[in-house]
Amino acid sequence: MPHTANARSLFETLRHIEASKLFQAAVISIIILSALTIGAKTYELPYFVTRSLEVLDAGITVFFLLEIIFRFMVCADKKRFLMDGWNLFDTLVVVGSLIPLDNSEAVLLGRLLRVFRVLRLVSVVPELRFLINSLLKAIPRMAYIALLMFIIFYIYAAMGAMFFSPINEELWGDVAVAMLTLFRVATFEDWTDVMYETMSVYPVSWVFYITFIFLTAFVFLNMMIGVILEVMSEEQNAQQAAKAHQERDDMSRKLDEVQQQLARLTDMMTEREQTHTRSNQRPE
């Protein structure tokens, strides 16, 4: 029983360390240092600096390996550790970073995975993880808006190719090129030059551009933002509900522990009273 209590206390202590801000700050610092190391390797550096960066990179890789092992050890449900997408991503990046760079066939893969170590900053910072999760969940809803945008692009591109191809074949020669031109207009990249060129032949062609910009840059963009905000609101509500559920579970667990302690105290008091009663009943 004492060994079980000590093991449980040690496990809780390790979990508190893993969830502490100090531990997270240390991991974030190492990730930033890893990013700076990767960036420094893109410059022409002296030999001793290059060797120092290689030693530092090896140390960072070992730190990440120990960190992922530590997180696995303190995980309450180890069987579901890799079921979490962020844990799986971190594990793949860390394991991939162990690829030796002296193998010519694996050099590119190893360097690429070392670059992806910077993305671990997203998995470590809860706020960034919340944004990415919201964005991923919003993609299916945004797909219908993107499909509607493609239809509008296609209609306007077909109209532009029919009316404006004699004016500028490079910008309006066919539907595909016209869609690229419309993307340029939608991103406001020198779109006025394109409009004035067609207005020299069709003075009212400004209506074509204004309506297209209104639909793409204002209506559809705001619809995308609205979908993302809605999903973020749902995610925040879900997190608050999960947090409240976890707090209720913790409170219930603590109440159970208190009840067990009270039961043990009651048993001890009862046993002590019985012992005292038996001692008083002995004949002198």
Side-chain angles (χ1 to χ4, degrees), residues 240-254:
Q240 291 176 352
K243 184 178 180 181
H245 183 71
Q246 182 65 35
E247 289 177 352
R248 287 195 298 269
D249 290 343
D250 293 340
M251 186 177 298
S252 177
R253 179 172 53 81
K254 290 179 180 178

Side-chain angles (χ1 to χ4, degrees), residues 45-64:
L45 300 173
Y47 176 77
F48 73 93
V49 176
T50 303
R51 294 296 301 172
S52 300
L53 290 177
E54 291 178 355
V55 174
L56 181 60
D57 182 78
I60 291 173
T61 302
V62 173
F63 174 85
F64 284 147

Side-chain angles (χ1 to χ4, degrees), residues 216-232:
T216 56
F218 297 109
V219 176
F220 293 127
L221 180 60
N222 287 327
M223 290 174 67
M224 291 280 191
I225 295 174
V227 168
I228 294 175
L229 291 178
E230 181 182 1
V231 173
M232 289 179 65

Side-chain angles (χ1 to χ4, degrees), residues 92-109:
L92 290 177
V93 170
V94 171
V95 173
S97 300
L98 299 176
I99 297 176
L101 293 182
D102 54 353
N103 186 351
S104 59
E105 296 181 356
V107 167
L108 182 59
L109 179 60

Side-chain angles (χ1 to χ4, degrees), residues 36-234:
L36 295 176
T37 303
I38 293 171
K41 289 182 178 180
T42 62
Y43 295 92
E44 292 292 337
L45 300 173
Y47 176 77
F48 73 93
V49 176
T50 303
R51 294 296 301 172
S52 300
L53 290 177
E54 291 178 355
V55 174
L56 181 60
D57 182 78
I60 291 173
T61 302
V62 173
F63 174 85
F64 284 147
L65 179 62
L66 295 177
E67 182 246 344
I68 204 71
I69 293 175
F70 176 72
R71 283 171 52 192
F72 177 76
M73 289 174 59
V74 301
C75 181
D77 190 358
K78 294 179 174 54
K79 294 181 179 180
R80 298 184 62 84
F81 180 78
L82 294 179
M83 298 296 290
D84 185 274
W86 293 111
N87 291 336
L88 179 61
F89 172 77
D90 292 343
T91 303
L92 290 177
V93 170
V94 171
V95 173
S97 300
L98 299 176
I99 297 176
L101 293 182
D102 54 353
N103 186 351
S104 59
E105 296 181 356
V107 167
L108 182 59
L109 179 60
R111 290 178 178 175
L112 185 63
L113 289 172
R114 279 167 170 77
V115 171
F116 277 118
R117 286 195 309 202
V118 182
L119 277 177
R120 291 204 57 214
L121 192 62
V122 177
S123 65
V124 174
V125 180
E127 289 77 8
L128 294 178
R129 192 163 60 242
F130 170 75
L131 292 176
I132 296 299
N133 286 334
S134 300
L135 180 60
L136 292 176
K137 292 185 177 180
I139 288 177
R141 302 186 188 183
M142 292 192 297
Y144 295 102
I145 302 176
L147 178 60
L148 185 57
M149 286 184 64
F150 174 79
I151 294 173
I152 297 300
F153 262 83
Y154 188 85
I155 292 174
Y156 274 82
M159 293 171 58
M162 287 189 294
F163 290 105
F164 304 145
S165 58
I167 301 175
N168 191 329
E169 188 75 19
E170 294 182 357
L171 296 180
W172 306 100
D174 53 48
V175 172
V177 174
M179 290 183 72
L180 289 176
T181 302
L182 289 174
F183 184 79
R184 169 183 171 182
V185 173
T187 55
F188 302 108
E189 178 64 28
D190 293 332
W191 72 277
T192 53
D193 296 338
V194 180
M195 182 182 68
Y196 291 142
E197 186 180 35
T198 58
M199 284 180 65
S200 62
V201 179
Y202 300 103
V204 295
S205 62
W206 59 270
V207 177
F208 174 87
Y209 298 98
I210 296 301
T211 55
F212 176 76
I213 290 175
F214 177 79
L215 288 173
T216 56
F218 297 109
V219 176
F220 293 127
L221 180 60
N222 287 327
M223 290 174 67
M224 291 280 191
I225 295 174
V227 168
I228 294 175
L229 291 178
E230 181 182 1
V231 173
M232 289 179 65
S233 178
E234 293 176 356

